[in-house]
């Protein structure tokens, strides 16, 4: 029977979330799966909730007050949410809603026992599980009690934990409604939770079953340790049987209570192996229905299973989509860990990177991955791949070796027969000639100038056709053999110097000092250039006052308003000149959708003010010269010591040639990325013009909505003048959920997420292990910074953050050391740390959570660990 306020579970499915909430919709979908039994019941709809809330006239004012509260002000949230719950619980259930519920109870047994459960419209969704945020009541007897508990479920919309969860996930309180599920009570022999994927490793082939006696609340509340069964390929592969001392049972008069388990039963398994396997089989059917791994609550009654809830496991990292029919094993390596940008990317961002990358890339969870399966499978390429990735990030190598050690996941394939004549040896090495770098930089500038000239006349579908051609030129410049030789020459020389000087002199990471203030490093020059901007602004008091009044700064008018202050014209010219050279940069710059400094120049203001405060005039030139002299002294010291060794003249001559080589080429290592983001700004400006036109023609609501389309979808939208608004909304919700996920360094097609581990025994107890990338030891105050725009650094501080791409370089001039969670020997943060002579340790797992902001730490940049000081 259909009713505005009540719907039977058989009348709903997962398409009716807006009407019956996430839990109700899932239960309705579950009840339609062959072989899956769901306790009978009905849903009190969101219409009933809104009807009841209309009787609470003060609710709107309270919602306004709630939305203004800081999510971290738990006391204020606790007080206001408790007041809102009391108001809702005191309002009588409207008569028409009461009548609908009473009729439904008459169909299922008015005097029966029921479970009354909250079902919010933002609950049990693929992107936000909301697990445990609202309330459930068990063994509720009679219509009066059921109605009372429906009111309590409505009120649980405003439990403190639900309010905080919504605020932290960016969900507007007004957009969420509450339905209620009322089901016949089940009195189980055993109950528990089934995860159809391993919730710890992410492996989709492994299911885990937690089981205990009685009602599942004993497990959910942590009252008892469960039995745990691990099931793979239809058999139990591991089990742990716990001593179950307590259980929760229903009371005859209603409600539940804890009881002691009979001593003779405590160590009896709650399930047999056969039952655990059968339960996992049901779980696989449920997973297939909902299209993703599930967290399932179950009950065992007389050897039959009842499913009382199923929700997506939202903590699992998503998998790349395989081609139809592809059942092979795959191993993926994170691109973000190589590019120093592990944040989630919007669809336009990752699709543009895919189109301009030199190798095929796959998207998962808003991140990009490269499939390395074939290179791992071939003995000819495996060692080289592990060596290259290991030099960049040892944790990636360790993760890959872990996969290789898993008995046959990556099959070994014979090396392919070589095509054509046998190789005649490696190509001749590039000459150590600064003119090579000059020529490469000029080639890049010429190509970008041509792009800027030719794109001006392009619009509409013709723009997208032009961009596809431009992407080929982009890749041609990026793959220029001479450019690749120059990059490898600098890296090879670095590794040669570190290896040989350790072998000959016992010097660790000697190249770190020998590369100080190397020429042609566009990224280190960017940090020093902002010191020059500070020199212009430092003697201008009205400009400084204007910049310090951060609340009035608006990116759209910032430079014009600055020019109106005394001395503002000079300050504006200095900032404009800086933006002309570096305005295409920003944090997370590989994602074209991220706002560039040219678009948000106020991002630079805190760093400029830090430079004004922490440095004197002429600091840029002075710092560069100090680094150059330190490198020269190190060179002289190393060469003189080498000449005292057996065969010392030869060793010194080889070393001198390698020092010349590394100083010639190591700075160029940063230039290709600069070329990429320079082109990205040109692409972006053209695409935003198209998005603006779609807004004017009412195709898009706002131009940034285009960021949630892939490049190909954007092209089609421009061609057809149509956009799927629901697709954009789904993409926004997915992006929000992806931002909360931590991407693994390595991911397998089974879903196993691996971060790798350091296999070292030379680190002091309690210290945090990482990769040494810039020599030296420094002690100071840790500043944990997650957003460059919020950095508040003083001279001598040690920057601790997740990752640093080139846009962070201006901060490096004012710090004493660096610690990051992500990074490798030749990634941008490491290169610039060495340029500035900053002791640095990267790849420190969970550094931003294990190190407190303001805590004193000691960074051992030579040996690769961080000590936490009292």
């Amino acid at each position: 029977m259909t009713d505005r306020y009540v719907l039977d579970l058989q009348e709903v499915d997962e398409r009716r979330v807006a009407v019956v909430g996430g839990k109700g919709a899932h239960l309705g979908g579950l009840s339609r799966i062959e072989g899956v039994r769901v306790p009978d019941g009905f849903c009190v709809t969101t219409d009933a909730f809104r009807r009841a809330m209309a009787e609470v006239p003060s609710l709107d004012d309270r919602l306004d007050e709630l939305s203004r509260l800081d999510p971290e002000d738990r006391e204020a949230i606790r007080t206001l949410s408790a007041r809102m719950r009391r108001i809702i619980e005191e309002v009588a259930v409207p008569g028409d809603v009461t009548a609908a519920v009473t009729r439904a109870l008459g169909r299922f047994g008015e005097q029966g026992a029921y479970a009354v459960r909250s079902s919010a419209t933002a609950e049990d969704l693929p992107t936000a599980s909301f697990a445990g945020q609202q309330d459930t009541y068990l063994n509720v007897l009679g219509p009066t009690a059921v109605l009372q508990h429906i009111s309590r479920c409505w009120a649980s919309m405003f439990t403190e934990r639900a309010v905080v969860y919504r605020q932290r996930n960016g969900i507007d309180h007004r957009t969420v409604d509450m339905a209620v599920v009322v089901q016949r009570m089940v009195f189980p022999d055993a109950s528990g939770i089934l995860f159809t994927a391993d919730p710890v490793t992410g492996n989709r082939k492994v299911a885990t079953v937690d089981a205990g006696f009685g009602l599942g609340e004993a497990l959910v509340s942590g009252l008892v340790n469960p039995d745990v069964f691990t099931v793979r390929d239809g058999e139990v592969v591991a089990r742990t049987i716990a001593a179950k001392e307590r259980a929760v049972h229903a009371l005859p008069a209603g409600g539940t209570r804890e009881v002691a388990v009979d001593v003779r039963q405590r160590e009896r398994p709650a399930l047999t192996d056969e039952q655990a396997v059968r339960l996992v089989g049901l779980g696989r059917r449920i997973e297939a229905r909902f299209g993703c791994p599930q967290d399932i609550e179950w009950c065992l009654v007389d050897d039959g299973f009842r499913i009382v809830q199923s929700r997506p496991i939202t903590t699992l990292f998503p998998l790349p989509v395989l081609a139809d029919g592809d059942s092979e094993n795959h191993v993926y390596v994170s691109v973000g860990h190589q590019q120093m940008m592990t944040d989630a990317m919007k669809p336009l961002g990752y699709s543009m990177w895919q189109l301009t990358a030199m190798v095929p890339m796959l998207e998962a969870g808003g991140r990009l991955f490269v499939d390395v399966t074939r290179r791992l499978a071939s003995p000819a390429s495996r060692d080289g791949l592990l060596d290259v990735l290991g030099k960049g990030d040892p944790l990636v190598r360790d993760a890959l070796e872990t996969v290789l050690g898993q008995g046959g996941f990556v099959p070994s394939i014979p090396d392919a027969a070589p095509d054509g004549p046998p190789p005649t040896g490696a190509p001749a090495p590039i000459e150590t000639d600064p003119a090579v770098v000059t020529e490469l930089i000029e080639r890049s500038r010429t190509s970008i100038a041509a792009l800027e000239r030719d794109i001006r006349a392009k619009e509409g579908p013709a723009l997208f056709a032009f961009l596809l051609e431009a992407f080929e030129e982009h890749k041609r410049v990026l793959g220029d053999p001479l450019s690749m030789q120059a990059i490898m020459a600098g890296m090879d020389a670095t590794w040669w110097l570190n290896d040989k000087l350790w072998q000959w002199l016992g010097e660790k990471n000697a190249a770190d000092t020998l590369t100080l203030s190397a020429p042609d490093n566009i990224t280190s020059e960017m940090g020093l250039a902002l010191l020059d901007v500070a020199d212009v602004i430092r003697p201008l008091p009205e400009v400084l006052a204007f910049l310090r009044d951060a609340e009035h700064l608006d990116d759209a008018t910032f430079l014009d308003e600055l020019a109106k202050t005394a001395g503002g014209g000079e300050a504006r010219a200095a900032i404009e000149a800086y933006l002309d050279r570096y305005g295409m940069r920003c944090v997370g710059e590989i994602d074209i959708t991220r706002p560039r400094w040219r678009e948000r120049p106020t991002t630079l203001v805190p760093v400029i003010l830090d430079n004004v405060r922490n440095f004197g005039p002429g600091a840029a030139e002075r710092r560069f010269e100090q680094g150059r002299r330190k490198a020269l002294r190190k060179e002289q010291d190393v060469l003189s010591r080498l000449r005292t060794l057996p065969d010392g003249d030869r060793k010194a001559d080889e070393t001198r040639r390698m020092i010349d080589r590394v100083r010639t080429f190591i700075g160029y290592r940063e230039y290709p990325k600069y070329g990429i983001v320079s082109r990205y700004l040109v692409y972006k400006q053209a695409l935003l013009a198209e998005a603006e036109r779609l807004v004017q023609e009412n195709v898009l609501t706002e131009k940034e909505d285009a960021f949630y389309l892939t490049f190909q979808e954007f092209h089609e939208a421009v061609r057809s003048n149509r956009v799927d608004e629901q697709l954009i909304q789904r993409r926004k919700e997915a992006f929000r959920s992806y931002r909360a996920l931590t991407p693994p360094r390595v991911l397998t097609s089974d879903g196993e997420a691996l971060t790798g581990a350091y296999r070292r025994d030379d680190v002091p107890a309690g210290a945090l292990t990482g990769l040494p990338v810039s020599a030296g030891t420094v002690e100071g105050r840790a500043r944990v910074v997650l957003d460059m725009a919020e950095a508040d650094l003083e001279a001598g501080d040690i920057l601790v953050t997740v990752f640093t791409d080139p846009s962070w370089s201006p901060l490096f001039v004012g710090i004493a050391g660096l610690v990051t969670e992500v990074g490798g020997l030749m990634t941008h943060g490491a290169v610039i740390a060495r340029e500035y002579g900053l002791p640095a340790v990267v790849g420190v797992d969970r550094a931003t959570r294990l190190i407190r902001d303001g805590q004193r730490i000691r960074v051992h940049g030579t040996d690769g660990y961080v000590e936490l000081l009292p």
Side-chain angles (χ1 to χ4, degrees), residues 832-855:
I832 305 308
R834 292 194 290 272
E835 274 283 312
Y836 289 163
L838 301 175
V841 180
V842 302
V844 180
D845 188 37
R846 298 176 296 143
T848 58
R849 283 167 280 181
L850 297 174
I851 299 173
R852 299 190 314 275
D853 185 48
Q855 180 177 15

Side-chain angles (χ1 to χ4, degrees), residues 91-106:
V91 171
V93 177
D96 44 359
V97 175
T98 296
V101 171
T102 303
R103 284 195 301 273
L105 289 172

Side-chain angles (χ1 to χ4, degrees), residues 240-508:
T240 302
I241 306 304
K244 299 169 285 294
E245 296 184 1
R246 312 289 293 174
V248 173
H249 288 290
L251 293 170
T256 62
R257 72 170 180 183
E258 287 179 34
V259 298
V261 175
D262 187 303
V263 175
R264 294 165 295 181
Q265 299 294 315
R266 289 179 181 175
E267 296 193 15
R268 178 175 68 82
L271 293 178
T272 65
D273 282 6
E274 182 275 330
Q275 288 171 329
V277 170
R278 180 153 42 98
L279 176 60
V280 170
L282 291 175
R284 294 296 180 211
R285 292 189 192 180
I286 295 168
E287 181 181 68
R289 164 78 187 211
F290 294 122
C292 62
Q294 297 286 301
D295 164 358
I296 298 166
E297 294 182 25
W298 56 269
C299 296
L300 179 67
V301 182
D302 299 329
D303 196 37
F305 287 103
R306 307 289 190 277
I307 304 301
V308 295
Q309 187 162 321
S310 182
R311 62 170 72 92
I313 307 176
T314 58
T315 56
L316 297 178
F317 199 84
L319 296 177
V321 176
L322 294 173
D324 289 343
D326 184 350
S327 59
E328 300 294 319
N329 291 340
H330 294 269
V331 182
Y332 310 104
V333 170
S334 164
V335 172
H337 285 81
Q338 314 299 314
Q339 289 293 333
M340 297 301 94
M341 214 298 276
T342 55
D343 292 347
M345 300 168 72
K346 296 186 179 78
L348 185 62
Y350 65 68
S351 65
M352 290 279 285
W353 193 261
Q354 286 173 308
L355 287 166
T356 54
M358 302 300 291
V359 296
M361 293 180 180
L362 303 163
E363 181 272 336
R367 279 79 169 187
L368 291 171
F369 294 84
V370 173
D371 188 338
V372 297
T373 316
R374 289 196 63 81
R375 293 182 67 188
L376 281 179
S378 168
S381 57
R382 182 187 306 136
D383 290 345
L385 176 70
L386 292 173
D387 184 55
V388 169
L389 293 177
K391 282 180 175 176
D393 184 342
L395 294 179
V396 171
R397 177 173 186 144
D398 181 80
L400 289 174
E401 288 176 335
T402 300
V403 175
L404 289 169
Q406 292 174 350
F409 185 85
V410 179
S412 185
I413 61 174
D415 296 330
D419 294 323
T424 55
I430 189 172
E431 292 295 322
T432 303
D433 183 357
V436 171
V437 173
T438 304
E439 178 187 345
L440 286 167
I441 291 173
E442 186 54 36
R443 286 185 192 179
S444 178
R445 287 175 178 165
T446 300
S447 177
I448 292 168
L451 171 67
E452 291 171 334
R453 181 188 68 243
D454 296 343
I455 204 171
R456 291 188 190 117
K458 303 296 189 295
E459 61 180 25
L463 169 66
F464 288 83
F466 171 81
L467 284 173
L468 289 173
E469 294 178 6
F471 297 163
E472 293 307 308
E473 168 66 4
H474 179 125
K475 290 191 281 189
R476 187 196 66 76
V477 172
L478 201 57
D480 183 337
L482 186 64
S483 177
M484 301 301 292
Q485 282 180 296
I487 292 170
M488 289 310 302
M491 293 170 66
D492 287 341
T494 299
W495 294 326
W496 189 96
L497 286 166
N498 282 336
D499 289 346
K500 293 297 185 182
L501 295 181
W502 170 247
Q503 177 186 336
W504 293 337
L505 298 177
E507 283 264 0
K508 275 189 178 179

